[in-house]
Amino acid sequence: MPSLLLSLARGAATSPFKRPGRSGAVLPPDRATAPAARPAAGPLAAYRAICGFTEPDALPVTYPHVLAFPLAMRLMTRRRFPLPVTGLVHTWIEITAHRTLHPADALELTVYAAGLTPHRRGTEVTVVTEARLSGELVWESRSGYLSRHPTRTGTSPAPATPGPALPAVAEWRLPADLGRRYGAASGDRNPIHLYPLTARLFGFPRAIAHGMWTVARCLAQTPRPHLIHTVRADFRAPVLLPGTVTYASDGTGFQLRDGEGDETRVHLTGTATARSARS
């Protein structure tokens, strides 16, 4: 795997010279790949603990995204990549797990950028991740990452409303160091997640929770997360740290929110569908 520290250093060095709002920006056709390898036991255990996954014989459905994060960082910090990686915000993710994966599976990983889209708050890039076993596609995802910059009005529609409130299931109190702890487990040490000072550099009043932690924590609450087949999650508002949030679900849809009544703020909405136990 490429060095995360090297990629982070390269991203910090090159980001100030990139202009995400310039016209005619194009994505390089590069693909970042890693040969077949099993997940390391220590980082996997740390990830399970911070996200709440308890199934020892199944790989968390979100974990291939974590395994491929060094590849995504290598791709997005290359000189030809048009967006500055520092301050990128994860806006949505779609996952398809074609089968249950296990810690002993040696996954071949590929990451590439599929498109640039104007966004009302900047420019969004779609990043695709694929995991294969002996050449067979067994897991795939598409993610949106937003680079915020001034734009012309009307470049993209406002997001759809979150829909009706789902039944509350649990209340979670999130500590101030959650971003640093998840960053240590996942490798994602984007400054917006680490400390109030580094988050303020990018317009946030305090550090914010990783979007991938919020969706993973919600999916870990499902009765049989190893049977999850498809996931769609939209990160609607940052979760400030420290904070208290409510996890809500009706069995298929899920939300993460805080406040009550007219003061309710929805941070995350999503859906998850399951395979049969025989799949």
Side-chain angles (χ1 to χ4, degrees), residues 74-190:
R74 186 175 72 180
L75 183 78
M76 292 190 289
T77 57
R78 287 175 177 168
R79 182 174 299 178
R80 293 190 298 165
F81 192 80
L83 304 181
V85 71
T86 305
L88 277 183
V89 178
H90 201 175
T91 50
W92 57 269
I93 187 169
E94 296 175 344
I95 295 173
T96 301
H98 298 288
R99 48 158 287 186
T100 299
L101 299 177
H102 304 282
D105 289 336
L107 297 175
E108 309 151 14
L109 301 171
T110 302
V111 177
Y112 60 94
L116 290 171
T117 306
H119 188 280
R120 70 189 186 284
R121 293 180 179 173
T123 301
E124 189 175 76
V125 61
T126 299
V127 176
V128 178
T129 301
E130 298 174 343
R132 289 176 167 80
L133 277 174
S134 301
E136 177 189 356
L137 183 65
V138 293
W139 185 99
E140 57 188 312
S141 74
R142 297 174 65 86
S143 287
Y145 292 93
L146 174 64
S147 178
R148 300 189 301 173
H149 59 80
T151 65
R152 296 179 181 177
T153 59
T155 55
S156 68
T161 57
L166 300 178
V169 176
E171 184 177 86
W172 299 333
R173 296 188 177 185
L174 312 182
D177 66 348
L178 177 63
R180 297 191 293 276
R181 291 166 56 202
Y182 181 83
S186 68
D188 184 351
R189 291 182 172 87
N190 188 320

Side-chain angles (χ1 to χ4, degrees), residues 4 40-51 63 66-67 69-70 177-189 210 213:
L4 264 176
L44 175 56
Y47 180 84
R48 281 183 171 136
I50 195 69
C51 296
Y63 202 61
V66 173
L67 292 174
F69 181 71
D177 66 348
L178 177 63
R180 297 191 293 276
R181 291 166 56 202
Y182 181 83
S186 68
D188 184 351
R189 291 182 172 87
H210 292 73
W213 178 85

